[in-house]
């Protein structure tokens, strides 16, 4: 079983940049903030030790790959 790799907001921004998704630090922060219903755009959580937002790196990449596959499948051929 692969060990999870938890990354912070800035590291997540760099992972997305490697995928070609260029976001500013402000855009990443907004994606991690909760909306009026308490939901986040991306599944960040508060690390109980550092009290900072974290996300699992593989989950972040999987979300973008899943969205890409859905877009490809829904495209007209």
């Amino acid at each position: 079983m692969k060990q999870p790799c938890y990354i912070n907001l800035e590291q997540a921004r760099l992972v997305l940049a490697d995928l070609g998704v260029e976001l500013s630090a402000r855009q990443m922060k907004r994606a991690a903030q909760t909306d009026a219903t308490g939901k986040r755009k991306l599944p960040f959580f508060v690390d109980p030790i550092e009290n900072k937002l974290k996300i699992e790196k593989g989950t972040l990449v999987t979300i973008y790959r899943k969205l890409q596959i859905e877009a490809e499948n829904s495209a007209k051929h």
Side-chain angles (χ1 to χ4, degrees), residues 2 6 8-9 12 14-15 18 22-23 26-27 33 37-38 41 43 48-51 55-58 70:
K2 187 176 178 185
Y6 298 108
N8 63 28
L9 280 170
L14 294 173
V15 167
D18 286 342
E22 299 285 337
L23 299 174
R26 185 170 186 228
Q27 288 172 309
Q33 290 176 335
T37 63
K41 290 181 184 178
I49 297 170
E50 295 181 7
N51 205 29
I55 190 170
E56 203 283 318
K57 182 179 178 180
E70 288 174 6

Side-chain angles (χ1 to χ4, degrees), residues 5-19 21-25 28-29 31-32 42 44 53-57 60-61 64:
C5 176
Y6 298 108
I7 56 177
N8 63 28
L9 280 170
E10 181 59 23
Q11 292 166 326
R13 192 175 74 80
L14 294 173
V15 167
L16 291 177
D18 286 342
L19 297 175
V21 180
E22 299 285 337
L23 299 174
S24 68
M28 277 304 299
K29 190 173 182 178
L42 293 172
F44 282 90
L53 288 172
K54 299 276 180 113
I55 190 170
E56 203 283 318
K57 182 179 178 180
L60 181 63
V61 172
Y64 273 82

Side-chain angles (χ1 to χ4, degrees), residues 56-74:
E56 203 283 318
K57 182 179 178 180
T59 300
L60 181 63
V61 172
T62 298
I63 289 168
Y64 273 82
R65 287 194 177 147
K66 180 181 174 192
L67 291 170
Q68 176 190 355
I69 291 167
E70 288 174 6
E72 289 172 357
N73 290 339
S74 68

